[in-house]
């Protein structure tokens, strides 16, 4: 079946504008994760969902970042009043269930550039 | 989270085996050892995981030391398409927060 998809693939925005990034997980996967990778940096965990709830928001870098998931499927990561330091590749992953050793399947990412 | 230590980079010739080491001296009894890799301009992809015994799959083999304080990812015949950053990650079996904590990984270069 189809893998994890993300849209848009690239987004250029002006500083101060809001952006929405979308993730479509693999059908039937109950767990969904957001990560980001800044230029030359490692992958940084942002938030995860079990179903529609997000028990762990500790990775969100500031209150300008929020995420939601509806219907246990699609998730949207919103960044308000974007700053240049928000420029990064935002990666979404899904897995069958949250606990246990199940592998995470990653999407291709959204490259966000804040000018 | 228990930490892992990997060499920053390694090189290999095509068609030769590659052994990618990972040290995890503070591993706990409930930590699984996972390996992911990230090809250029792509998201990470799962490679293999294990707990105590050595594991084989179509992509690679995972050799785990008897004391579990280190492990080695083995690519039996490296190809140019295996050039990537390889991440060794520990995940707690019992935890519900199964986020992946990525380190800096090992950048593998494969040459003709």
């Amino acid at each position: 079946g189809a893998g994890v998809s993300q849209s848009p693939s690239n987004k250029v925005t002006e500083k101060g504008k809001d952006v929405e990034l979308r993730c479509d997980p693999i059908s039937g996967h109950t767990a969904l994760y957001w990560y980001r990778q800044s230029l030359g940096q490692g992958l940084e965990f942002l938030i995860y969902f079990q179903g529609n709830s997000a028990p762990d928001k500790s990775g969100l870098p500031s209150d300008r970042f929020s995420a939601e998931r509806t219907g246990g499927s699609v998730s949207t990561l919103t960044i308000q009043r974007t700053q240049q330091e928000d420029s990064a590749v935002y990666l979404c992953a899904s897995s069958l269930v949250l606990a246990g050793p199940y592998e995470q399947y990653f999407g291709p990412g959204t490259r966000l550039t804040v000018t | 989270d228990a930490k892992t230590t990997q060499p920053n980079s390694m090189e290999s010739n095509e068609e030769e085996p590659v052994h990618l080491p990972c040290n995890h001296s503070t591993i706990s009894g409930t930590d699984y050892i996972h390996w992911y890799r990230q090809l250029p301009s792509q998201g990470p992809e799962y490679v293999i995981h294990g707990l105590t015994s050595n594991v084989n799959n179509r992509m690679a083999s995972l050799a785990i030391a008897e004391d579990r304080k280190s492990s080695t990812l083995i690519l039996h015949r490296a190809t140019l398409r295996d050039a990537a950053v390889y991440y060794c990650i520990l995940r707690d079996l019992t935890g519900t927060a199964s986020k992946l904590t990525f380190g800096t990984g090992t950048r593998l270069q494969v040459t003709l």
Side-chain angles (χ1 to χ4, degrees):
Chain A
V4 177
S5 61
Q6 294 186 243
S7 61
S9 55
N10 280 285
K11 176 70 176 180
V12 180
T13 189
E14 293 180 353
K15 177 181 173 182
K17 295 284 181 67
D18 298 350
V19 294
E20 284 189 354
L21 312 179
R22 176 188 168 104
C23 172
D24 279 276
I26 293 172
S27 177
H29 280 194
T30 62
L32 185 148
Y33 311 79
W34 284 97
Y35 298 84
R36 76 174 176 181
Q37 187 169 31
S38 304
L39 186 64
Q41 301 294 314
L43 286 113
E44 171 189 15
F45 167 78
L46 298 178
I47 189 171
Y48 75 84
F49 289 88
Q50 173 60 33
N52 291 335
S53 64
D56 185 358
K57 301 180 181 180
S58 62
L60 295 177
S62 77
D63 58 8
R64 296 185 295 105
F65 287 71
S66 63
E68 65 175 13
R69 188 181 186 194
T70 55
S73 181
V74 172
S75 177
T76 302
L77 177 69
T78 301
I79 309 173
Q80 295 178 311
R81 304 181 303 282
T82 53
Q83 304 293 312
Q84 288 186 331
E85 60 262 28
D86 300 334
S87 296
V89 176
Y90 289 80
L91 292 155
C92 175
S94 71
S95 65
L96 193 60
V97 294
L98 189 65
Y102 297 95
E103 58 260 39
Q104 295 183 14
Y105 296 85
F106 282 79
T110 293
R111 181 175 298 278
L112 175 65
T113 304
V114 182
T115 61
Chain B
D1 293 336
K3 294 193 183 300
T4 63
T5 304
Q6 300 177 253
N8 288 333
S9 63
M10 292 185 65
E11 290 186 16
S12 174
N13 294 322
E14 198 176 24
E15 302 295 319
E16 289 186 357
V18 181
H19 291 231
L20 298 166
C22 181
N23 287 321
H24 29 78
S25 58
T26 60
I27 191 171
S28 73
T30 55
D31 281 334
Y32 271 89
I33 302 161
H34 286 248
W35 284 81
Y36 281 73
R37 71 179 185 180
Q38 187 173 22
L39 280 65
S41 301
Q42 294 188 26
E45 71 173 329
Y46 166 83
V47 177
I48 201 167
H49 76 271
L51 185 61
T52 56
S53 303
N54 294 344
V55 183
N56 300 295
N57 67 19
R58 64 175 179 80
M59 290 182 70
S61 295
L62 177 61
I64 301 173
E66 195 169 335
D67 63 4
R68 299 207 328 125
K69 293 185 177 182
S70 65
S71 60
T72 303
L73 179 70
I74 303 166
L75 307 179
H76 295 286
R77 291 179 64 194
T79 70
L80 296 178
R81 288 175 294 179
D82 291 322
V85 179
Y86 287 78
Y87 297 97
C88 171
I89 301 167
L90 301 182
R91 292 180 68 190
D92 186 351
L93 171 65
T94 62
T96 57
S98 60
K99 65 184 180 184
L100 296 173
T101 302
F102 289 85
T104 54
T106 296
R107 182 173 298 277
L108 176 66
Q109 292 181 294
V110 181
T111 55
L112 292 171

